[in-house]
Amino acid sequence: MTSAALTPLPSRFWADLSTRDFAALKASGQAEQVVAVLPVAAIEQHGPHLPLSVDATLLQGVIDAALPQLPADLPVLFLPPQNVGLSPEHIRFPGTLTLSPATVIALWTEIGECVARAGIQKLLLFNGHGGQVSVMDIVARELRTRCDLLVYSASWFSLPLPDAVAGQFSAQEHRFGIHAGEIETSMMLYLAPATVRMEQAQNFRSTSQDRSERYAILGNGKSAKLGWQMQDYHPAGAVGDAAAATADKGQAVVDAAAQQLVALLQELQALPLSTLASGPDLV
């Protein structure tokens, strides 16, 4: 059955709505058409040339670029960003903020439970920090189990980029430049250039590149995963060719990721709630 057209939301931001707005959405049955988005990031070291805010800045930059592109009739609400996340792999670098795994799981799960209580049945966990991808998987399954909430998780860096954008960076950089390398530094040069110290940027070679050349299984990037601290990859706390970064490359990545976020939200909004089965067939 086709849902009735949704009255345009008064804002794209959850906290801007009143409690009566949510009550009206729930009472009308229109809340189930809404997609809530929980942005999750981190405050952690990013080498000698970038600030602690990188993951939060890049995530918000992609969201900000996506907002004007969202169709007016697409019901999406962005929850308050959770900018302190799970960053124990960076804890030996001064300034890093991190919560424990149990705290992060509890925090995001309880926010999701609040979303479900508001009558909204779809949630996107939208992430800016590679170290907490596995935590999103746990939270998504917890919310499916506890609330029958339809939850997807995605990271801005996992969204597909057009060849013209992805091709501006080498295959080696895509694989090994995962933290404060050319891509993240380029994006920061575009979004927050005053915070970037390019005189400190260099080609930070990752030890994972050495393992890829020596070990067929341990180093192939697929078959086995190291339990790591950031200094295990490079003592400066960065990997990738940050010296090759440019603001133009950064803008291309931000704009492309924003377009893909819009497409993702459109698909999630169109996905039927019947995607989740009410129970097993034991007959």
Side-chain angles (χ1 to χ4, degrees):
M1 183 173 64
T2 303
S3 300
L6 180 70
T7 302
L9 298 170
S11 172
R12 292 289 188 194
F13 300 101
W14 184 284
D16 288 347
L17 274 64
S18 74
T19 190
R20 288 188 174 184
D21 291 328
F22 281 104
L25 283 171
K26 190 172 183 179
S28 68
Q30 293 184 324
E32 67 182 35
Q33 299 181 47
V34 175
V35 177
V37 182
L38 180 62
V40 294
I43 303 296
E44 61 184 36
Q45 73 82 30
H46 276 76
H49 62 297
L50 294 178
L52 303 176
S53 64
V54 168
D55 290 342
T57 298
L58 301 189
L59 186 68
Q60 191 62 51
V62 171
I63 291 171
D64 289 345
L67 284 169
Q69 302 179 50
L70 291 172
D73 60 351
L74 185 67
V76 174
L77 283 175
F78 287 87
L79 290 147
Q82 303 301 300
N83 285 337
V84 178
L86 182 67
S87 303
E89 68 273 21
H90 300 279
I91 198 64
R92 298 186 190 182
F93 291 85
T96 294
L97 302 179
T98 188
L99 304 174
S100 70
T103 298
V104 171
I105 291 168
L107 175 62
W108 297 353
T109 302
E110 290 179 23
I111 292 173
E113 289 175 327
C114 293
V115 169
R117 280 196 293 272
I120 292 171
Q121 296 179 281
K122 293 180 181 178
L123 174 66
L124 174 66
L125 302 172
F126 191 50
N127 174 51
H129 169 42
Q132 54 201 21
V133 170
S134 58
V135 179
M136 291 195 297
D137 291 339
I138 295 171
V139 172
R141 287 194 294 269
E142 280 293 294
L143 290 170
R144 167 66 179 97
T145 301
R146 297 185 190 187
C147 308
D148 287 333
L149 201 62
L150 199 165
V151 186
Y152 269 82
S153 61
S155 304
W156 71 258
F157 47 83
S158 69
L159 297 174
L161 298 179
D163 291 342
V165 176
Q168 295 186 49
F169 306 94
S170 69
Q172 178 171 279
E173 191 67 19
H174 280 293
R175 179 175 173 188
F176 299 109
I178 61 170
H179 190 74
E182 184 180 1
I183 296 174
E184 288 192 334
T185 304
S186 292
M187 295 171 74
M188 288 298 289
L189 284 171
Y190 170 60
L191 293 170
T195 68
V196 181
R197 302 174 183 176
M198 280 303 289
E199 72 278 6
Q200 298 292 328
Q202 59 179 274
N203 186 359
F204 302 97
R205 180 179 171 87
S206 173
T207 61
S208 61
Q209 292 174 252
D210 300 327
R211 285 187 291 278
S212 72
E213 295 168 0
R214 295 181 60 189
Y215 302 103
I217 299 176
L218 287 178
N220 68 20
K222 299 176 182 179
S223 301
K225 189 172 183 179
L226 175 68
W228 54 283
Q229 287 265 301
M230 190 61 218
Q231 66 271 17
D232 299 333
Y233 287 121
H234 196 287
V239 288
D241 191 3
T246 70
D248 287 345
K249 294 177 186 176
Q251 181 176 2
V253 175
V254 170
D255 290 345
Q259 291 172 6
Q260 293 300 312
L261 174 57
V262 172
L264 173 62
L265 289 170
Q266 289 175 308
E267 291 186 8
L268 183 52
Q269 200 277 329
L271 189 70
L273 291 172
S274 60
T275 299
L276 304 183
S278 59
D281 184 355
L282 302 177
V283 178

